[in-house]
Amino acid sequence: MSSKGPDRQRLFVGGAWVEPDGGHYAVIDPASEETVGWAPEASRDQVHAACAAAREAFGPWSRTTPEARAAVLARAADIIHGHLVPYAELAQAETGATTGTARGMQVGVGAARFRRYARVEPAEWAIPPQINEAGPMGKAGVMGALAVRQPVGVVTCVTSYNNPWANPAGKIAPALAMGNTVVVKPAPQDPLSVYRMAEALEAAGAPAGVVNVVSGRAVEVGEAAVSSPDVDMVSFTGSTAVGQRIAEVCGRDMKRQLMELGGKGAAVVLDDADLGSAVAGIGTTFSFYSGQICTAPTRVLAQRGVYDRLVEQLAAYAGRLKVGDPRAASTIVGPVISAEHRDRVEAYVETGRKEGAVVVAGGERPPYEKGFYVAPTLLADCTNDMRVAREEIFGPVVAVIPFEEEEEGIALANDTDYGLIDYVWSGDVARAFRVARRLRAGGVGVNTVGRNMEAPFGGFKKSGVGRDVGSYALHAYSEVQAIVWPG
């Protein structure tokens, strides 16, 4: 693509499209290694200007009716859905996602999330009256109370690279629905899709300053968006290490946080499991976003009675997956996001070999001259103390660990720094639920890797802080106020 004209994206600050102080940098297609477009590099001053614009817009926007805000979100959903194909083509070029994923799970889910939060929900709840024997003034009486959800204020949304539509929409839509304003700092690898989202919101009637987008590769861009005194809350999706740094900065000013961090999901496969179902679910680690997803079942704990058969079937499954150009209809596994990340994933596989794991599928680089491809890789005979079992690889790599008794499987599943989503496969549903309730994870899939998009989402331990999705996201982007009066 040309490096001139419309390919050079501007920042979106205070309702205006602004030339970046730091120039532009190339956004690279992970499949072809060609330039998709040129993203803007914001300066610290421009980030602070975006936060100030959001602060100025907060008062008027928070005082609009929920119905008025919902109408903006509904119009944005219509615009996004109406541009599904070109938006998906851009997302595919930025991320290397397959066509079905880019259209359905990226842009399609993004539009659906705006539609979901265009549904107005109650923000006030009456609390049963309380009879006070003697109040502060020494008089008995009945006290009424009302719980009111108020917007937090200005929210900085720092988004992940693996889904530049669903992830930002899952932050922006509920935040706006609650009356907050936002400053979005997209991942540097694929920010162009987020600017298309901003265009959709502008066209839908979002007032100036309600939505701001500032991008850049420099660390100071993200730091400025988090540390600005105009910001009241930070919503972050990304690595645990970065999340810990953000939490430190937020802690100084007691800013609210919503953190969706790393995962090392355990898939506990019991000896009475339907192995076909388990293989299909675990196999999504190889195919879905090429394993670049924090909810992937990357750490398989297989009971001895099914261990050998499960490894054999997973190896065969991995070997059948077509790796290649994500635009080809036959492709199941596209590239990872960058050359650096490909090298990181390959280094983990080599580490696994050195630690004693057996590579039973994959392990080699696919034979393409261009593109950042990693073969679906299965590591067997792992132990839970190996790095490949303890650290988030974020690629199409699965480590399989055997165990003997159910209690051992539960203990291994919980022996991790992470706790986002775990999985249990068993032919006995009561047994599966018994195990699920003992797993220290924010979510557990029983005989499925599917999700209910109204169920709370978030992690235990170092996998995050807070919950969102469905009505829980509205709770996350609000403060609860109590109003009390004499009855």
Side-chain angles (χ1 to χ4, degrees):
M1 297 180 70
S2 169
S3 62
K4 300 179 181 179
D7 295 334
R8 288 192 176 272
Q9 178 64 54
R10 295 178 178 182
L11 305 167
F12 189 52
V13 177
W17 294 94
V18 180
E19 288 293 338
D21 290 342
H24 292 80
Y25 66 92
V27 176
I28 303 301
D29 184 331
S32 67
E33 302 185 40
E34 296 179 354
T35 298
V36 175
W38 296 83
E41 184 83 47
S43 66
R44 179 179 291 272
D45 287 345
Q46 288 179 312
V47 177
H48 285 164
C51 297
R55 170 60 60 197
E56 184 176 354
F58 170 64
W61 178 250
S62 67
R63 291 191 292 272
T64 59
T65 65
E67 290 75 15
R69 298 194 293 266
V72 171
L73 298 179
R75 288 193 293 269
D78 289 340
I79 293 167
I80 293 168
H81 188 267
H83 292 79
L84 188 149
V85 172
Y87 285 170
E89 288 174 349
L90 175 60
Q92 184 174 51
E94 289 191 285
T95 65
T98 61
T99 301
T101 296
R103 292 186 181 184
M105 299 306 297
Q106 293 188 345
V107 181
V109 171
R113 287 184 169 174
F114 278 101
R115 182 85 58 204
R116 163 62 180 85
Y117 294 106
R119 193 168 79 211
V120 176
E121 296 188 19
E124 298 183 358
W125 294 268
I127 297 172
Q130 180 184 23
I131 299 175
N132 289 343
E133 302 244 345
M137 300 177 68
K139 296 181 180 179
V142 177
M143 302 299 292
L146 186 68
V148 180
R149 289 207 169 271
Q150 299 278 16
V152 178
V154 176
V155 181
T156 286
C157 303
V158 184
T159 66
S160 60
Y161 73 72
N162 59 349
N163 195 324
W165 280 92
N167 184 264
K171 298 178 186 297
I172 297 168
L176 297 188
M178 279 306 309
N180 302 286
T181 55
V182 299
V183 176
V184 186
K185 196 285 180 185
Q189 298 92 334
D190 50 9
L192 302 179
S193 290
V194 182
Y195 284 106
R196 301 292 81 74
M197 191 180 298
E199 288 177 355
L201 283 158
E202 181 186 32
V210 168
V211 178
N212 306 269
V213 183
V214 288
S215 59
R217 296 173 297 177
V219 172
E220 70 174 10
V221 176
E223 287 184 345
V226 170
S227 63
S228 166
D230 285 312
V231 170
D232 301 290
M233 175 180 173
V234 176
S235 175
F236 171 71
T237 300
S239 73
T240 295
V242 175
Q244 288 170 323
R245 173 60 183 153
I246 290 174
E248 290 173 1
V249 175
C250 290
R252 291 199 293 264
D253 296 317
M254 300 301 291
K255 294 180 181 180
R256 290 280 301 278
Q257 304 162 47
L258 178 63
M259 299 278 188
E260 180 197 336
L261 307 177
K264 194 67 181 176
V268 181
V269 183
L270 298 169
D271 54 11
D272 58 354
D274 178 341
L275 292 190
S277 173
V279 168
I282 295 164
T284 60
T285 301
F286 302 133
S287 57
F288 194 47
Y289 298 137
S290 300
Q292 299 169 110
I293 183 167
C294 52
T295 59
T298 58
R299 188 170 55 112
V300 178
L301 308 174
Q303 199 160 12
R304 276 292 180 190
V306 294
Y307 176 81
D308 290 338
R309 284 182 291 147
L310 182 66
V311 168
E312 180 182 359
Q313 291 182 33
L314 278 171
Y317 185 97
R320 291 194 297 269
L321 300 177
K322 175 69 167 61
V323 179
D325 182 355
R327 296 168 180 82
S330 60
T331 294
I332 304 299
V333 183
V336 296
I337 194 68
S338 66
E340 293 78 11
H341 191 55
R342 176 193 60 196
D343 294 346
R344 178 179 180 272
V345 174
E346 289 177 343
Y348 266 110
V349 174
E350 184 58 29
T351 296
R353 279 194 179 102
K354 292 177 180 178
E355 291 178 323
V358 178
V359 180
V360 293
E364 73 289 337
R365 183 177 295 184
Y368 297 112
E369 292 184 3
K370 296 285 187 179
F372 312 129
Y373 294 98
V374 177
T377 300
L378 182 67
L379 304 176
D381 296 346
C382 296
T383 60
N384 209 43
D385 59 351
M386 293 179 177
R387 286 185 63 196
V388 292
R390 302 204 70 81
E391 300 176 15
E392 186 176 41
I393 299 173
F394 221 59
V397 180
V398 171
V400 189
I401 302 167
F403 70 90
E404 298 292 343
E405 301 298 328
E406 183 179 300
E407 287 295 324
E408 181 189 2
I410 294 169
L412 287 170
N414 290 333
D415 181 16
T416 175
D417 289 336
Y418 297 105
L420 188 56
I421 294 188
D422 286 346
Y423 304 89
V424 181
W425 269 274
S426 172
D428 182 338
V429 174
R431 183 188 188 194
F433 270 79
R434 182 179 70 240
V435 171
R437 288 189 174 97
R438 293 185 60 191
L439 298 180
R440 299 293 295 166
V444 182
V446 173
N447 294 327
T448 184
V449 293
R451 284 175 53 197
N452 181 319
M453 296 312 295
E454 290 296 316
F457 179 76
F460 287 16
K461 297 183 277 189
K462 291 184 180 179
S463 283
V465 177
R467 297 292 183 272
D468 65 356
V469 177
S471 297
Y472 296 90
L474 298 174
H475 300 169
Y477 292 96
S478 61
E479 295 277 18
V480 179
Q481 177 188 63
I483 300 176
V484 181
W485 64 91

